[in-house]
Amino acid sequence: WLEEPDFWRRHTHPDDIEMDLEEVRQLLAGKIQSYKTEKRLTKEDGSPVHVLLGMSLMRNDDGSPSYFVAQFQDITERKQIEHLKSDFVSVVSHEFRTPLTAIQGFSELIAEGAVSLEEALDFAGVINQSAVRLGRLVQDVLDLDHMAAGSFPLHMTEVDVNRLVSSAVT
């Protein structure tokens, strides 16, 4: 590994090189026995691979460094899932804020008596629509969770796509 630094550098993501070197320095100095870290490697074709690296330094009887033992676990799929979850949470939080803002704003105006009875009735309708929208969003999130767990029954039926799209647009 140390004898072929070009190989190591060629396959380690540039942003991870210094962190990796620091861990190796601590191993060589005897400050740590081993370490685990997540890092990115690069395949020959240039595509990234996320790995969990476990590294230990084996020493000779006199305490001098002998060789490294490294274990790599490909965690690329886990990282992709984490990224998808993060994106999902961002989208869901945005979708929740919109109806919540309407509910909060209109209900505050009604509670403060800042609107007429007719306006309050109109606002109550908007509040109701927003609450219904929130309920659908919650149900969608729960359905996604059930799908991920494999406990969501799917019933396949034929549909008229034109009619479905038309109803979704109106």
Side-chain angles (χ1 to χ4, degrees), residues 137-153:
L137 286 169
V138 168
Q139 188 59 53
D140 289 348
V141 170
L142 292 172
D143 289 347
L144 285 171
D145 185 52
H146 288 138
M147 281 185 232
S151 62
F152 188 81

Side-chain angles (χ1 to χ4, degrees), residues 18-37:
E18 189 53 43
M19 178 249 343
D20 221 5
L21 281 174
E22 180 56 33
E23 297 283 4
V24 170
R25 287 184 196 110
Q26 289 190 31
L27 279 174
L28 290 169
K31 293 181 180 177
I32 58 175
Q33 298 282 326
S34 63
Y35 70 91
K36 281 187 179 180
T37 189

Side-chain angles (χ1 to χ4, degrees), residues 79-89:
K79 288 300 221 179
Q80 291 168 338
I81 291 169
E82 287 173 3
H83 182 72
L84 288 172
K85 283 182 180 179
S86 176
D87 288 350
F88 176 75
V89 167

Side-chain angles (χ1 to χ4, degrees), residues 17-145:
I17 289 175
E18 189 53 43
M19 178 249 343
D20 221 5
L21 281 174
E22 180 56 33
E23 297 283 4
V24 170
R25 287 184 196 110
Q26 289 190 31
L27 279 174
L28 290 169
K31 293 181 180 177
I32 58 175
Q33 298 282 326
S34 63
Y35 70 91
K36 281 187 179 180
T37 189
E38 292 183 9
K39 66 180 280 181
R40 293 161 290 176
L41 299 177
T42 306
K43 293 181 184 179
E44 290 292 338
D45 66 4
S47 61
V49 178
H50 291 266
V51 297
L52 176 61
L53 166 65
M55 179 80 83
S56 298
L57 175 61
M58 305 310 290
R59 296 184 176 274
N60 295 315
D61 290 339
D62 65 0
S64 63
S66 179
Y67 59 91
F68 290 100
V69 175
Q71 179 183 8
F72 294 90
Q73 179 182 359
D74 186 344
I75 59 171
T76 304
E77 186 176 328
R78 187 190 88 197
K79 288 300 221 179
Q80 291 168 338
I81 291 169
E82 287 173 3
H83 182 72
L84 288 172
K85 283 182 180 179
S86 176
D87 288 350
F88 176 75
V89 167
S90 294
V91 168
V92 168
S93 65
H94 173 75
E95 290 299 317
F96 274 98
R97 280 191 196 109
T98 303
L100 279 173
T101 300
I103 290 170
Q104 183 179 15
F106 288 127
S107 63
E108 282 178 9
L109 289 172
I110 293 170
E112 292 170 0
V115 295
S116 68
L117 180 58
E118 186 178 318
E119 289 173 317
L121 291 173
D122 289 340
F123 289 172
V126 173
I127 290 169
N128 185 319
Q129 289 172 348
S130 296
V132 168
R133 182 176 175 195
L134 275 175
R136 282 194 311 261
L137 286 169
V138 168
Q139 188 59 53
D140 289 348
V141 170
L142 292 172
D143 289 347
L144 285 171
D145 185 52

